[in-house]
Amino acid sequence: MPRTARDVVFVDGVRTPFGKAGPTGLYAETRADDLVVRAIRELMRRNPSLPPERVDEVAVAATTQTGDQGLTIGRSAAVLAGLPTSVPGYAVDRMCAGAMTAVTTSGTGISFGSYDVVIAGGVEHMGRHPMGEGVDPNPRFLADRLVDPSALVMGSTAENLHDRFPGITKDRADAYAVRSQQRTAAAYAAGRIQADLVPTAVRSAERGWGLATEDEPPRPGTTLDGLARLTTPFRAHGNVTAGNSAGLNDGATACLLAAEDVARELGLTPRMRLVDFSFAGVEPEVMGVGPVPATGRLLARNALTMDDIGLIEINEAFAVQVLAFLEHFGIADDDPRVNPWGGAIAVGHPLASSGVRLMIQLSRLFEEHPAVRYGLTTMCVGMGMGGTVLWENTSREAAE
């Protein structure tokens, strides 16, 4: 029988504080699967009206699916989190857009009627599993000149983007990075970010047991002078530094999606409605420009322009990548619609988990701005892709 598409809503989202990858980072001795389990458990605790058996699927992304990020992590995390064994799960990999893809894929299942309620998220422990661990790229990529050699090094693709957009100077990228740090510091000071952070137990041989309650990467004292002195590791006299890029990080995210009618039946409050999404490919050597065609297609398909978009959460893998997006759409570098609470340059980018972090922040911003109707979450993706999701503010309807 033909089915009618159902409205899909974002109900709630949480994340662990993000840590710095490496032997001294927050989660150096914490398993990756335990991070995402902590997020799933907190999501269920915060939504007690949801019977665990009503969860129809658990989709969890990881870029490096090995070790404690392997074993079909969506299913293993569901079991470890204490969900009924009747709840299935699966793993997702679209590199940086893993959690975003977990949301769009499982959300499509809700729209189609295959699911009523799903949990979607992502995890990346870059300290245990560096990006590219165990990967064996086919030699034909280079032998057949399918990609430029720089396409396999993310920092080099960012330098290529500076070449593509010569008006985006290092000074401009550094200024954007400082602003990200400042906005994150202001959001922390106002208590805006902490509400969705899951306190997470950590331990180390030196410090013993502790509790992670805030992101480890932010550097609120960052200055333009300080960034100007950093080295450019990907190219002599280049533009990309550790200061105007996201770091190497560990962390997990999880969110609750539902059919809108089911959410209301279960006493769950929708925060925003999934309208549409788009993924697009670009030349791998300039992968940072991926959000441009993904967003352009999405806006055109929905008969919208950027003037209709009141809030934009864009992942800050590199400052140049954000600035290329803004320049293409004629948006000022300091537009208040864009990452008003800062972004990944400050809080970190644990690869596959970051898409849901963007959604968590957008949903909170919608609550603060009930007059805004539409918002975007968008990000670039390794190997030359971009992804964008269009959301509608349910707080606006409640205010009316």
Side-chain angles (χ1 to χ4, degrees), residues 19 24-25 32 47 88 97 162 233 251 253 263 269 290 347 400:
T24 62
N47 295 276
H162 274 286
T253 58
T269 303
V347 301
E400 292 175 349

Side-chain angles (χ1 to χ4, degrees), residues 51-55 75 78-79 82-88:
E53 63 273 14
R54 291 297 302 271
V55 177
R75 170 60 174 175
V79 173
L83 294 177
T85 54
S86 58
V87 178

Side-chain angles (χ1 to χ4, degrees), residues 28-100:
E29 299 186 33
T30 303
R31 290 178 59 97
D33 48 11
D34 283 338
L35 290 176
V36 74
V37 164
R38 183 74 188 90
I40 293 172
R41 285 178 173 169
E42 177 64 10
L43 201 57
M44 297 302 295
R45 186 197 69 79
R46 285 171 36 141
N47 295 276
S49 68
L50 172 63
E53 63 273 14
R54 291 297 302 271
V55 177
D56 295 311
E57 188 71 272
V58 178
V60 177
T63 301
T64 307
Q65 296 188 13
T66 188
D68 54 353
Q69 288 182 183
L71 197 61
T72 312
I73 193 165
R75 170 60 174 175
S76 57
V79 173
L80 289 165
L83 294 177
T85 54
S86 58
V87 178
Y90 63 98
V92 179
D93 175 19
R94 201 199 291 262
M95 297 187 76
C96 302
M100 177 179 281

